[in-house]
Amino acid sequence: MPEPAKKTASAFTKKPKTTEVVEGDTAVFEAETEKTGIKVKWQRAGAEMFESEKYIIKAEGNKHSLTINNTGREDDAPYAVIAGSSKVKFDLKVKEPEKSEAVLHTEAVSTPIVSDSPTPAETHPGECTRSSEVPAPEAQPELPLDPVGLFVTRPQDGEVTVGGNITFTCKVAGASMLKKPSVKWFKGKWMDLGSKVGKHLQLHDSYDRNNKVYIYEMHIIQAKMTYAGGYRCEASTKDKFDSCNFSLIVNEAPGTGDMDIRTAFRRTSLVGGGRRMSAACLSAEGHEEGGELDFSALLKKSSFLRSVNRKSEPKTELQPDVDVWDILRRAPPSEYEKIAFQYGITDLRGMLKRLKRIKKEEKKSTAFLQKLDPAYQVDKGQKIKLMVELANPDAEVKWLKNGQEIQVSGRYIFEAVGNKRILTINHCSLADDAAYQCVVDEEKSFTELFVKEPPILISHPLEDQVVMAGERVEFECEVSEEGAAVKWEKDGNELKREETFKYRFKKDGKKHYLIINESTKEDSGHYTVKTNGGESVAELIIQEKKLEVYQSIADLTVRARDQAVFKCEVSDENVKGIWLKNGKEVIPDERIKISHIGRIHKLTIDDVTPEDEADYSFVPEGFAYNLSAKLKFLEIKIDFVPRQEPPKIHLDCMGQAAPDTIVVVAGNKLRLDVPISGDPIPMVIWQKVNKNSCNVLSNADSMDSPDSSSDLSNESKCPQLLSESEGRVRVEMHEDHCIFIIEGAEKPDEGVYRVTVKNPAGEDKADITVKVIDVPDPPEAPKIINVGEDYCTVQWQPPKYDGGQPILGYILERKKKKSYRWMRLNFDLLKELSYEAKRMIEGVVYEMRLYAVNSIGMSRPSPASQPFMPIAPPSEPTHFTVEDISDSTVTLKWRPPERIGAGGLDGYNVEYCKEGSTEWVPALQGLTERTSALIKDLVTGDKLYFRVRAINLAGEGEPALTKEPVTIQEILQRPKFWLPRYLRQTLVKKVGETINIVIPFQGKPRPKITWTKDGQTLDTKEVGIRNSTTDTILFIRKAEHHHSGTYEVEVQIENMNDKVAITMQIMDKPGPPQNVKIIDVWGFNVALEWKPPQDNGNAQISGYTIQKADKKTMEWYTVFDHYRRTNCIVSDLIMGNEYYFRVFSENLCGLSETAATTKTPAYIQKTGTIYKPPSYKEHDFSEAPKFTHPLVNRSVISGYNATLSCAVRGSPKPKIFWYKNKVDLSGDAKYRMFSKQGVLTLEIRKPSPFDGGFYTCKAVNECGEAEIECRLDVRGGVGLGI
């Protein structure tokens, strides 16, 4: 078995990185080693660095640092830090100091500048602004310049709070340009921001002559949540084009403590020519026309005006917000440039495009009743329908895709349902992501379809790999869709195709491959494959290539004319080598042969001569190894031997007291040459001496002497004679020696072997001990005794059998549960029986196994440990606060921990401790899964600390603790109602509907709630009341007429109280009109008259519906609907028929259930052949103006449009005038006046409290005049305190 390779992983846990400094500054590099006490060297340009005044080298434990003072141009060089066999390279770049402050400003990084305050152009005098400090350009990290494309610096992703400002900057190199580049900004895929320039968006550009750089900026002012998303910047010249993407994140504005949330609904009102404004400029999203949200409306009027006057005395007055597009739409084209300059619009071309589009949109379509939406989105593979509604159902429709007409197919289906035309696209693909048009005659309706791809999932993740340096590495993963785009990263850095083609990327259907042809130590690290739906991480460990010797060459003693064979075996079969004789290379010939088969190298010398006696060595190519052995030549001396010579065994151990021991590795061949002498040739007997039995091995040429056979039988109790060529254990006999052979030694072959030689002249004996050694047995399965976030502690026991050699150490491996690849964790043998494994991924299930190693090799792997998952306890809960306190209870509230981990969250443990004590008492029984807790039965007056811990499978996390002790005592809070907006005006409900009114309030201790109606206590049998600690509820299961009225609710705590009133109106359908009768019949006309219904359903009658029916068919047809008068003339009747008429009354609930019908029919007479019209005196229809419906006093809310209505009649048609406090309103643009069928309406746009007063409507004609008056109150909202 191969010996364990040495550890090749980096010795550094923190590596120094390339740094760029300004000339004269100080540069600091830091590194951390995995172990303490390791000697670290620093190098500059390949030469070792030593400490001096300029270079300061420090080492504290495992932390090492290099400080370079007063850097200069000579310090711009490559550096390296070395610890053991690990070497990390990095660079120091020294740049020249900036020439001037202006240059420094232009070269600042294009990181978006975020500010919560408006730009100077947008900040009006008298406003207070809130801004966040922007760091100086020197403090911002400088981004690397873009070496490819037009951009020198690209816009970076930004983040801003609602109402804040942010600036995105890009720089384009202009040194080689003859003409200024064209730069456009886009939002999303197609929205050109050049046409959106205005109050909230400004585009600026400038040119830096010193650096020859064009600078383009996009300012987003008072950001809103809808501004979040992806943006794109495009730069183009005559022959080049470049673009880059960036994103904007808009966060919600944080809370401001005890601020009243209802004031967010209060709008800033411009009073007194723009002198009054908000004193606290807290930003919130609102309508441009309605002003910004005012969070300071609860201030007293007097103090508010005083503070504003003090701040605005030396400054000019504010100008009210205007709609620039409305001004441009009304202005002549010659004034466009002047208006754009006045309001800060720099993109004139974009302004003209948008203005042209606005004017086009104002034109009403004659072909389409309903056009396509601007854009549609559909998931890939799904179906979508595009629908338009036509004015002419018979019109011909064409559908176009990217300007090409669409033909009917299995994927494109055309449908016509009435005047609707529908295009259905089945199984949408990326090819359907295009612009579509619907063409009817000369008109077109445009839209854009976006096909959204489903997320690409990783179905087969990457697996960890351990390879030798120089080997080929191949990472493989499988995704859920063919042809999907993936991104490969190494230690967080994206991998790209380089000139050296070190990394190769390969696609095969759903499988993706990353290939590293010749791996080096620098390729070690974590490799990640990412898709838009997930990622997979695997670790690559590169081991240094090391040659291991499985069998070395051994010394040989060879006689003349015999064959000498030197043999060795190494771990790499591709390694070549040379044979040396006394340091000189051996040249093969007919007698000397050199062979290389697989991992075995042989040197064979035939017919050995005395000249062959020397030192022989084998040297592998490329490795510092030298395997040596000696060849001894055995001379044979022939002496005169008498015929009767006793047998003799010639062994080196014969004279020693202890028996000779021969060690053989299990599985190897044991060949033992035993020289013998004697005359005549002695008989050789081999015995294995055991405690219970013995085996006898003999040569087949045994002597025929009966004495010899009888001696053998007496000496051996269980003889077993083997032939020369049979068996795994055998004896070969020669004249002067015998050979004892064991093929493939096994453990049972171990023991003491006795060789006995006999002849008639005597006998001789010798004992030889054979010891068989082997690799150890596999250890038992390791145990996992401690598990953390990314580590665990492994423990094991030694193997039962050590293979006859002491255990040198252990090798530990791990793998993921679902993987088949084991990864080695240590490269130095582990001497202890436990190990802490690190660098694991939390939430992944792992298994462990180990090998035992002795001098022979590694054992088989142990069984795998029980699967385990690295997990860590959660972090402390966040935003831990005390929400409420009473005399015996405390309500706590918190948010989940920022890091929960793979172990999930089992719940929370809440405890408290008295001040001055160290004993924590559980506040709840067991764990709670909620993020709030009500702790009861506390002692009034105690001062307690509270803490909460998050708990999961890994145990308890760190606690969140109250900073100060909490006193258990009720806090007095003034009672106050928070009346919802919809209850501040009359609540209108229909009969039979359910009424559920919830009114929140505040107050401690628990207040007393009292409901009354029109000053009387409510009947709890008809009306349900439910009170809690934070709100009161009024519930009516089925509303009736008598439930209408004014309800008052009072909250009271001791001598403090608060009241609110709610007006409720329950209405129903009206009754039928009264006394419908036919007044006159003439020609084809019938005059009808009726009276209003007796029951109006508790709501104003809004009109009448008149129907007619022929007496023959009695089928009713509507003549007038929503008719407001109580008389009418029905025309276009058929001569000779008789007609009945009926009238329905109508209010907000609808038509009356029954109608009033004429008692007798009206007969339309036929005309005679000769008709002499009677002579009538011409009737004078002139009539002075008369108001048939008066103006009604109204009370409205500030900021919402209000209308005043009345009805007038008169002949000729009177001329109408409106007055406010006797002042004519005809020339004021704030008021709009309408007149339709005698109904007069005055609309007041967004009234303020100053618009309240007496309004007069005056009607004048030649017959006279009439006036009517009403009062209008404009409320500023509930709780103003004014």
Side-chain angles (χ1 to χ4, degrees):
M1 295 299 290
E3 293 184 4
K6 293 186 178 179
K7 184 174 182 180
T8 60
S10 175
F12 292 99
T13 57
K14 179 181 178 182
K15 302 176 181 178
K17 298 181 180 179
T18 298
T19 305
E20 184 172 349
V21 297
V22 179
E23 186 175 353
D25 288 353
T26 300
V28 179
F29 299 98
E30 295 181 347
E32 292 185 9
T33 56
E34 188 173 6
K35 299 179 182 179
T36 59
I38 298 179
K39 186 177 181 181
V40 172
K41 296 180 180 179
W42 297 86
Q43 290 185 348
R44 175 180 176 275
E48 185 175 354
M49 302 175 65
F50 299 96
E51 188 167 1
S52 63
E53 293 182 359
K54 184 178 181 65
Y55 304 109
I56 300 175
I57 300 174
K58 293 183 179 180
E60 297 179 359
N62 64 337
K63 296 182 179 180
H64 304 266
S65 65
L66 168 63
T67 304
I68 304 176
N69 296 318
N70 192 19
T71 55
R73 300 298 297 175
E74 67 278 1
D75 295 318
D76 192 327
Y79 292 79
V81 58
I82 303 174
S85 59
S86 299
K87 184 176 183 180
V88 178
K89 297 180 180 180
F90 55 94
D91 295 329
L92 173 61
K93 298 181 180 179
V94 181
K95 64 178 184 179
E96 295 181 358
E98 304 298 341
K99 297 180 181 179
S100 66
E101 206 171 306
V103 177
L104 178 63
H105 178 70
T106 58
E107 293 182 353
V109 183
S110 67
T111 305
I113 301 174
V114 182
S115 174
D116 292 337
S117 63
T119 60
E122 293 292 313
T123 305
H124 300 291
E127 281 186 310
C128 64
T129 59
R130 181 183 57 144
S131 64
S132 61
E133 293 184 5
V134 180
E138 293 82 3
Q140 296 179 351
E142 185 169 352
L143 297 177
L145 300 181
D146 188 0
V148 181
L150 296 174
F151 289 106
V152 176
T153 306
R154 299 171 180 262
Q156 304 297 312
D157 296 343
E159 188 171 359
V160 69
T161 307
V162 169
N165 304 336
I166 188 169
T167 300
F168 293 96
T169 305
C170 72
K171 298 180 182 179
V172 180
S176 60
M177 294 185 183
L178 300 176
K179 187 179 179 182
K180 179 181 178 180
S182 174
V183 173
K184 293 184 179 180
W185 301 83
F186 295 88
K187 184 177 189 297
K189 190 174 182 180
W190 54 274
M191 183 185 293
D192 187 356
L193 297 179
S195 60
K196 306 294 182 182
V197 172
K199 177 180 178 182
H200 295 283
L201 177 69
Q202 293 185 5
L203 303 179
H204 299 291
D205 60 86
S206 60
Y207 181 71
D208 183 7
R209 298 184 179 277
N210 295 327
N211 298 317
K212 297 182 179 180
V213 171
Y214 290 96
I215 303 173
Y216 296 86
E217 294 180 341
M218 178 177 71
H219 301 285
I220 297 178
I221 304 166
Q222 297 178 359
K224 303 179 182 180
M225 292 299 295
T226 54
Y227 294 178
Y231 289 77
R232 187 171 79 256
C233 181
E234 292 183 354
S236 60
T237 60
K238 183 178 179 181
D239 55 351
K240 286 186 179 181
F241 175 83
D242 198 3
S243 69
C244 62
N245 297 321
F246 58 98
S247 61
L248 173 63
I249 300 174
V250 181
N251 299 318
E252 294 183 359
T256 57
D258 298 328
M259 183 184 66
D260 183 1
I261 192 62
R262 294 182 301 143
T263 60
F265 299 98
R266 168 74 172 153
R267 303 263 174 200
T268 302
S269 57
L270 297 174
V271 181
R275 290 185 178 86
R276 181 176 176 179
M277 54 177 291
S278 173
C281 300
L282 298 174
S283 177
E285 184 176 351
H287 301 287
E288 293 182 13
E289 299 175 350
E292 294 302 316
L293 297 180
D294 182 12
F295 286 88
S296 60
L298 294 181
L299 296 175
K300 295 291 183 180
K301 179 177 181 181
S302 57
S303 62
F304 174 81
L305 291 175
R306 283 197 300 270
S307 63
V308 172
N309 290 335
R310 282 196 302 267
K311 294 179 181 178
S312 60
E313 279 177 359
K315 300 181 182 179
T316 59
E317 295 181 351
L318 279 177
Q319 297 297 328
D321 293 339
V322 294
D323 189 349
V324 180
W325 301 110
D326 186 63
I327 296 174
L328 288 169
R329 198 163 49 241
R330 300 173 186 272
S334 60
E335 298 290 329
Y336 285 171
E337 187 173 355
K338 178 181 178 182
I339 297 172
F341 178 80
Q342 181 180 355
Y343 291 96
I345 300 177
T346 57
D347 189 358
L348 296 180
R349 182 177 297 178
M351 180 193 74
L352 294 175
K353 286 183 180 179
R354 181 179 178 187
L355 194 61
K356 184 178 180 181
R357 187 164 61 251
I358 290 176
K359 291 184 177 180
K360 284 185 178 179
E361 291 173 356
E362 292 177 353
K363 298 179 181 178
K364 188 174 181 181
S365 173
T366 59
F368 294 97
L369 296 178
Q370 180 181 346
K371 290 189 174 183
L372 296 169
D373 292 341
Y376 295 86
Q377 179 172 313
V378 64
D379 291 335
K380 183 179 178 182
Q382 300 298 315
K383 178 175 71 174
I384 191 171
K385 292 187 177 182
L386 308 180
M387 185 183 71
V388 296
E389 192 171 345
L390 306 181
N392 181 12
D394 300 326
E396 184 178 354
V397 173
K398 289 184 180 180
W399 292 91
L400 305 180
K401 173 184 176 183
N402 290 337
Q404 302 295 325
E405 185 174 357
I406 302 175
Q407 304 297 330
V408 179
S409 64
R411 293 184 62 248
Y412 298 101
I413 301 173
F414 301 150
E415 298 180 67
V417 181
N419 62 342
K420 296 180 179 179
R421 298 295 183 268
I422 304 172
L423 168 62
T424 304
I425 306 175
N426 295 318
H427 306 292
C428 291
S429 64
L430 295 179
D432 297 317
D433 190 300
Y436 292 82
Q437 302 177 28
C438 180
V439 182
V440 178
D441 297 333
E442 298 298 327
E443 289 198 39
K444 299 179 182 179
S445 178
F446 297 88
T447 188
E448 192 166 1
L449 177 61
F450 296 93
V451 179
K452 182 181 178 183
E453 291 189 80
I456 306 299
L457 304 178
I458 298 178
S459 54
H460 184 74
L462 301 176
E463 294 186 351
D464 299 334
Q465 296 195 37
V466 180
V467 299
M468 302 297 293
E471 292 184 356
R472 183 175 184 266
V473 179
E474 181 176 302
F475 285 103
E476 175 187 348
C477 75
E478 186 174 342
V479 297
S480 57
E481 188 172 338
E482 291 189 6
V486 302
K487 183 169 75 171
W488 293 90
E489 293 182 355
K490 176 182 180 291
D491 296 330
N493 299 319
E494 184 178 358
L495 299 179
K496 298 181 180 179
R497 299 182 185 273
E498 301 174 352
E499 296 181 0
T500 57
F501 297 100
K502 181 171 186 177
Y503 301 106
R504 290 201 303 116
F505 307 100
K506 177 182 173 184
K507 292 184 181 179
D508 184 7
K510 296 182 179 180
K511 294 184 178 181
H512 292 255
Y513 301 88
L514 170 63
I515 300 172
I516 306 174
N517 287 324
E518 293 185 3
S519 58
T520 61
K521 286 183 62 179
E522 287 73 15
D523 294 324
S524 298
H526 290 83
Y527 288 79
T528 306
V529 59
K530 291 184 177 181
T531 67
N532 59 0
E535 63 179 37
S536 177
V537 183
E539 185 177 5
L540 174 62
I541 296 177
I542 308 295
Q543 301 180 10
E544 287 187 352
K545 204 166 186 180
K546 182 179 179 181
L547 188 67
E548 299 181 6
V549 179
Y550 292 163
Q551 181 180 347
S552 182
I553 58 178
D555 295 340
L556 296 179
T557 302
V558 185
R559 295 181 302 177
R561 314 299 295 175
D562 282 353
Q563 183 187 64
V565 178
F566 291 102
K567 170 183 170 185
C568 67
E569 183 178 358
V570 295
S571 58
D572 192 347
E573 60 184 16
N574 297 321
V575 172
K576 298 179 180 180
I578 59 173
W579 290 88
L580 303 177
K581 176 182 178 183
N582 291 333
K584 296 182 180 180
E585 185 176 355
V586 176
I587 306 300
D589 54 19
E590 294 182 355
R591 190 171 65 87
I592 301 174
K593 298 179 180 60
I594 298 175
S595 64
H596 174 201
I597 301 174
R599 297 181 300 187
I600 299 176
H601 297 259
K602 282 186 179 181
L603 171 63
T604 305
I605 304 174
D606 295 331
D607 298 333
V608 176
T609 62
E611 290 75 12
D612 295 325
E613 184 173 8
D615 291 335
Y616 289 84
S617 301
F618 175 74
V619 180
E621 289 185 2
F623 295 93
Y625 280 100
N626 186 359
L627 307 181
S628 302
K630 290 185 177 182
L631 175 61
K632 295 181 179 180
F633 182 77
L634 180 63
E635 295 184 3
I636 301 175
K637 297 180 179 180
I638 302 176
D639 298 328
F640 174 77
V641 180
R643 297 291 297 172
Q644 292 291 331
E645 180 183 355
K648 183 68 175 177
I649 299 174
H650 302 279
L651 289 177
D652 295 339
C653 60
M654 289 299 293
Q656 301 175 4
D660 192 14
T661 301
I662 299 175
V663 179
V664 61
V665 179
N668 288 359
K669 178 180 178 181
L670 174 63
R671 174 189 172 102
L672 182 60
D673 292 342
V674 181
I676 59 174
S677 61
D679 194 15
I681 297 174
M683 181 182 66
V684 180
I685 301 173
W686 286 85
Q687 296 175 317
K688 183 178 180 182
V689 181
N690 293 330
K691 296 181 179 179
N692 299 325
S693 62
C694 60
N695 295 329
V696 179
L697 304 175
S698 173
N699 59 316
D701 291 337
S702 58
M703 292 187 175
D704 296 334
S705 171
D707 297 336
S708 300
S709 61
S710 61
D711 292 341
L712 178 62
S713 61
N714 292 334
E715 188 170 328
S716 178
K717 297 180 180 179
C718 47
Q720 181 181 359
L721 300 178
L722 300 176
S723 64
E724 294 180 359
S725 59
E726 289 182 357
R728 185 177 59 85
V729 181
R730 64 183 183 273
V731 175
E732 295 180 2
M733 188 62 192
H734 299 274
E735 292 183 359
D736 57 350
H737 70 283
C738 65
I739 304 173
F740 177 64
I741 299 174
I742 301 178
E743 296 283 355
E746 298 175 354
K747 182 63 177 175
D749 297 330
E750 191 175 80
V752 179
Y753 289 84
R754 179 175 297 167
V755 57
T756 305
V757 292
K758 292 184 179 181
N759 70 0
E763 68 176 38
D764 193 7
K765 294 181 181 181
D767 290 340
I768 302 173
T769 302
V770 175
K771 184 177 181 181
V772 179
I773 58 176
D774 199 355
V775 296
D777 287 347
E780 296 181 355
K783 297 180 180 179
I784 311 300
I785 60 174
N786 184 26
V787 178
E789 179 181 2
D790 60 347
Y791 67 90
C792 72
T793 303
V794 189
Q795 194 176 56
W796 61 88
Q797 296 296 327
K800 295 181 179 179
Y801 173 62
D802 61 2
Q805 294 291 311
I807 299 296
L808 300 178
Y810 301 90
I811 294 175
L812 192 62
E813 291 183 336
R814 78 160 185 244
K815 78 173 182 69
K816 297 174 184 176
K817 173 68 175 175
K818 297 182 180 180
S819 175
Y820 300 98
R821 187 187 298 274
W822 289 90
M823 188 177 72
R824 191 167 174 174
L825 298 183
N826 62 298
F827 300 99
D828 292 332
L829 293 180
L830 301 177
K831 306 296 183 181
E832 305 295 333
L833 297 179
S834 64
Y835 179 74
E836 183 176 320
K838 300 180 179 178
R839 300 173 67 185
M840 290 185 284
I841 302 173
E842 185 179 6
V844 177
V845 181
Y846 290 94
E847 292 178 342
M848 295 281 187
R849 73 178 184 185
L850 74 152
Y851 298 85
V853 180
N854 62 6
S855 59
I856 304 304
M858 287 195 306
S859 67
R860 297 191 306 276
S862 71
S865 67
Q866 291 294 327
F868 66 96
M869 178 191 300
I871 54 176
S875 61
E876 65 180 30
T878 59
H879 299 85
F880 181 45
T881 57
V882 178
E883 187 178 36
D884 193 14
I885 306 173
S886 69
D887 288 339
S888 60
T889 63
V890 170
T891 302
L892 304 176
K893 204 169 187 179
W894 62 88
R895 291 185 184 176
E898 293 182 355
R899 181 183 57 77
I900 295 177
L905 193 63
D906 295 340
Y908 300 93
N909 183 22
V910 184
E911 297 174 315
Y912 65 86
C913 172
K914 289 186 178 181
E915 185 181 20
S917 176
T918 58
E919 181 182 358
W920 288 92
V921 180
L924 303 174
Q925 291 184 355
L927 301 180
T928 178
E929 296 182 357
R930 303 179 63 182
T931 56
S932 62
L934 175 61
I935 303 174
K936 302 178 180 179
D937 302 330
L938 300 176
V939 179
T940 304
D942 280 357
K943 293 185 178 181
L944 304 177
Y945 288 96
F946 294 90
R947 71 180 183 186
V948 59
R949 295 176 184 265
I951 299 175
N952 65 1
L953 293 174
E956 295 183 343
E958 292 295 325
L961 185 68
T962 56
K963 297 181 179 179
E964 300 293 335
V966 179
T967 304
I968 310 302
Q969 186 175 357
E970 186 80 51
I971 300 174
L972 183 64
Q973 187 178 25
R974 187 179 186 87
K976 187 173 182 62
F977 279 109
W978 306 108
L979 190 65
R981 178 183 289 271
Y982 75 96
L983 294 177
R984 299 175 188 174
Q985 53 194 1
T986 302
L987 180 64
V988 180
K989 291 288 184 179
K990 295 181 182 179
V991 172
E993 289 185 344
T994 300
I995 299 175
N996 188 19
I997 298 174
V998 181
I999 304 177
F1001 61 82
Q1002 71 177 25
K1004 289 183 181 181
R1006 183 166 181 169
K1008 179 182 178 182
I1009 309 298
T1010 306
W1011 283 85
T1012 59
K1013 177 190 175 189
D1014 299 329
Q1016 302 294 326
T1017 305
L1018 291 180
D1019 185 3
T1020 56
K1021 294 182 179 179
E1022 295 186 359
V1023 179
I1025 303 294
R1026 186 190 67 80
N1027 299 324
S1028 70
T1029 58
T1030 57
D1031 58 30
T1032 178
I1033 299 176
L1034 172 69
F1035 178 76
I1036 302 176
R1037 188 175 300 278
K1038 197 171 183 181
E1040 300 292 344
H1041 275 301
H1042 63 272
H1043 290 141
S1044 300
T1046 301
Y1047 291 79
E1048 285 190 354
V1049 57
E1050 179 183 12
V1051 55
Q1052 184 174 3
I1053 300 176
E1054 297 177 358
N1055 59 346
M1056 298 178 292
N1057 67 341
D1058 190 17
K1059 289 183 179 181
V1060 292
I1062 302 169
T1063 303
M1064 195 182 304
Q1065 179 183 350
I1066 310 299
M1067 60 183 183
D1068 198 0
K1069 293 181 178 180
Q1074 304 180 69
N1075 300 329
V1076 178
K1077 55 185 178 181
I1078 300 173
I1079 302 301
D1080 192 11
V1081 179
W1082 74 97
F1084 306 100
N1085 308 308
V1086 173
L1088 300 176
E1089 190 177 51
W1090 62 91
K1091 293 183 179 179
Q1094 187 175 0
D1095 179 17
N1096 63 358
N1098 200 22
Q1100 184 180 0
I1101 298 298
S1102 59
Y1104 300 92
T1105 298
I1106 298 95
Q1107 295 181 342
K1108 68 179 180 180
D1110 192 347
K1111 186 178 179 181
K1112 299 177 184 178
T1113 61
M1114 288 307 291
E1115 294 182 0
W1116 295 95
Y1117 296 94
T1118 300
V1119 180
F1120 299 106
D1121 56 354
H1122 309 299
Y1123 191 79
R1124 301 180 70 88
R1125 302 190 180 189
T1126 57
N1127 54 68
C1128 70
I1129 297 175
V1130 182
S1131 304
D1132 298 332
L1133 300 176
I1134 299 174
M1135 187 177 294
N1137 290 357
E1138 292 184 87
Y1139 290 92
Y1140 284 97
F1141 299 91
R1142 68 181 183 185
V1143 181
F1144 292 89
S1145 56
E1146 183 180 5
N1147 64 5
L1148 289 176
C1149 287
L1151 296 175
S1152 59
E1153 295 183 354
T1154 59
T1157 309
T1158 57
K1159 296 180 180 179
T1160 59
Y1163 178 68
I1164 309 301
Q1165 294 183 355
K1166 295 182 180 180
T1167 59
T1169 56
I1170 298 174
Y1171 175 74
K1172 292 183 179 181
S1175 58
Y1176 295 103
K1177 184 180 179 181
E1178 185 176 0
H1179 181 70
D1180 185 11
F1181 290 94
S1182 299
E1183 181 184 9
K1186 180 182 178 181
F1187 284 95
T1188 60
H1189 190 282
L1191 288 173
V1192 180
N1193 294 335
R1194 293 202 60 190
S1195 177
V1196 298
I1197 298 175
S1198 172
Y1200 292 84
N1201 291 358
T1203 58
L1204 301 176
S1205 299
C1206 63
V1208 68
R1209 71 181 183 186
S1211 182
K1213 184 177 180 181
K1215 189 173 182 181
I1216 309 301
F1217 300 91
W1218 287 91
Y1219 301 89
K1220 174 195 171 187
N1221 297 332
K1222 307 302 181 180
V1223 177
D1224 190 7
L1225 303 177
S1226 301
D1228 196 336
K1230 189 169 186 178
Y1231 303 89
R1232 296 173 62 189
M1233 304 164 193
F1234 304 93
S1235 177
K1236 186 177 182 182
Q1237 295 184 358
V1239 179
L1240 309 178
T1241 304
L1242 174 65
E1243 181 182 2
I1244 307 171
R1245 298 182 179 179
K1246 295 182 175 53
S1248 66
F1250 291 90
D1251 292 320
F1254 290 90
Y1255 286 77
T1256 305
C1257 181
K1258 184 177 182 180
V1260 180
N1261 68 1
E1262 61 188 20
C1263 296
E1265 64 181 36
E1267 288 185 2
I1268 193 168
E1269 188 178 76
C1270 73
R1271 178 182 175 85
L1272 175 66
D1273 293 326
V1274 181
R1275 305 193 307 274
V1278 177
L1280 282 173
I1282 298 175

